[in-house]
Amino acid sequence: MNSNDTITPFSDEYFMKQAIQEAYKAFEEDEIPVGAVIVSNNRIIARSHNLTERLNDVTAHAEMQAITSAANYLGGKYLKDCTLYVTLEPCNMCAGALAWSQITRIVYGAGDEKRGFTRFTPSPLHPRTEVVSGILEEESSELIKSFFAKKRN
Amino acid sequence: MNSNDTITPFSDEYFMKQAIQEAYKAFEEDEIPVGAVIVSNNRIIARSHNLTERLNDVTAHAEMQAITSAANYLGGKYLKDCTLYVTLEPCNMCAGALAWSQITRIVYGAGDEKRGFTRFTPSPLHPRTEVVSGILEEESSELIKSFFAKKRN
């Protein structure tokens, strides 16, 4: 599906579109453009984008900030009945954090062959976490490609 | 070696002893007792202990806080020429963060069969990071055992 088509409210595409908007913010701030939202009961409870450059901190990935922020919102550290939407396949650090959070679902856009968590055995995720991939994949990966093309110029 | 023996200054045991002191702080605050320090040029540039309960945040492991704090001290996100001393084998999340930081050395005390990063293939660490394990292992693991024994009573 093309992301410019009509999107059904509260669908995976709908929330991924919000994560992509976060990725655009990162792009504009000269950060590797990855964005995330966390949704609970059809409501976005956390929004974030990669801030590793601005914060000088390798742990400031979009997902890590979203996990901290959602736990803060919920008043508890476990993200049960929550879904993370993230534009790029989480890295191993973020997958480890998601495992600790026991999040219910993870939906990501583009795959990340070099850094993605799916390279690892055993799976770094919690065994009950459901994973969906490839949602609005093209838009997320094009944004990252544009970022690195811009960097090379 | 028993940790009550004389310890050579600036040795691995010397710095691990400092990490164990951090773990005792966690114990006193009713947190799973894991402590860490990061050392650069024989100087401790970050100290931290597990704060997941107090902060309601699964990402608040000792190592994660130490990485953020050391990068802040150094003014850059890469921990080159730094050694992390941590009382327990890092989990996968922390190993992923340590990989991004490109830290030079990791020294840990007790192994963690269930949650430790060494269970994963390929190794989650940066290929150039040196790892030493088992330093003051007994003291670290006894502290964790005492913690869980106390919890069960």
Side-chain angles (χ1 to χ4, degrees):
Chain A
M1 140 178 214
N2 185 300
S3 64
N4 295 321
D5 293 348
T6 306
I7 287 178
T8 312
F10 306 152
S11 63
D12 283 345
E13 286 78 10
Y14 175 85
F15 288 119
M16 185 59 83
K17 196 75 193 166
Q18 304 286 317
I20 291 173
Q21 283 181 12
E22 285 294 319
Y24 275 101
K25 290 185 197 167
F27 187 94
E28 286 164 15
E29 294 165 21
D30 215 25
E31 300 275 357
I32 296 178
V34 180
V37 299
I38 292 180
V39 173
S40 172
N41 293 317
N42 282 335
R43 192 169 164 178
I44 294 177
I45 63 169
R47 292 175 189 273
S48 57
H49 56 273
N50 178 36
L51 283 174
T52 49
E53 294 303 319
R54 197 206 295 176
L55 300 180
N56 252 332
D57 186 348
V58 296
T59 75
H61 283 191
E63 299 93 316
M64 302 299 280
Q65 297 176 71
I67 292 166
T68 299
S69 176
N72 199 39
Y73 175 88
L74 294 171
K77 62 185 177 154
Y78 297 115
L79 304 182
K80 296 214 170 162
D81 302 317
C82 287
T83 299
L84 168 77
Y85 293 86
V86 58
T87 57
L88 184 67
E89 181 185 340
C91 76
N92 195 43
M93 167 181 74
C94 294
L98 290 161
W100 286 116
S101 80
Q102 300 182 23
I103 198 163
T104 303
R105 271 181 97 222
I106 297 170
V107 180
Y108 66 86
D112 184 351
E113 272 183 34
K114 275 177 81 173
R115 303 288 188 177
F117 76 90
T118 55
R119 290 185 310 135
F120 291 91
T121 307
S123 167
L125 297 179
H126 190 280
R128 283 194 298 275
T129 299
E130 183 197 343
V131 179
V132 175
S133 63
I135 303 294
L136 303 186
E137 176 176 9
E138 202 177 325
E139 187 165 355
S140 290
S141 73
E142 284 303 322
L143 187 59
I144 291 172
K145 278 182 207 157
S146 305
F147 177 82
F148 286 109
K150 186 182 73 171
K151 281 281 176 198
R152 279 192 299 270
N153 290 332
Chain B
M1 133 177 224
N2 184 301
S3 63
N4 295 319
D5 294 347
T6 306
I7 286 179
T8 312
F10 306 152
S11 65
D12 283 345
E13 285 79 9
Y14 174 84
F15 288 119
M16 185 60 83
K17 197 75 192 161
Q18 303 287 315
I20 291 173
Q21 283 181 13
E22 285 295 318
Y24 275 101
K25 291 186 198 167
F27 187 93
E28 286 163 14
E29 295 166 20
D30 214 26
E31 300 275 357
I32 296 177
V34 180
V37 299
I38 291 179
V39 173
S40 172
N41 292 318
N42 282 336
R43 191 168 167 181
I44 294 176
I45 63 168
R47 291 175 189 273
S48 58
H49 56 273
N50 180 34
L51 283 175
T52 49
E53 295 303 319
R54 196 207 294 176
L55 300 181
N56 252 331
D57 186 350
V58 295
T59 73
H61 283 192
E63 300 94 314
M64 301 300 280
Q65 297 175 73
I67 292 166
T68 298
S69 177
N72 199 38
Y73 176 88
L74 294 171
K77 61 186 179 153
Y78 298 114
L79 304 182
K80 296 215 170 160
D81 302 317
C82 288
T83 299
L84 168 78
Y85 293 86
V86 59
T87 58
L88 184 67
E89 180 186 339
C91 76
N92 196 41
M93 168 181 73
C94 294
L98 291 161
W100 285 117
S101 80
Q102 299 182 23
I103 197 162
T104 303
R105 267 180 100 222
I106 298 170
V107 179
Y108 67 87
D112 185 351
E113 272 183 33
K114 275 176 81 174
R115 303 288 189 177
F117 77 89
T118 55
R119 291 185 308 134
F120 291 91
T121 307
S123 167
L125 297 180
H126 191 279
R128 283 194 298 275
T129 299
E130 183 196 345
V131 179
V132 174
S133 64
I135 303 295
L136 303 186
E137 177 176 9
E138 203 177 323
E139 187 166 355
S140 290
S141 73
E142 284 304 321
L143 188 60
I144 291 172
K145 279 182 206 156
S146 306
F147 177 82
F148 286 108
K150 187 183 71 169
K151 281 282 176 197
R152 278 192 298 271
N153 291 331

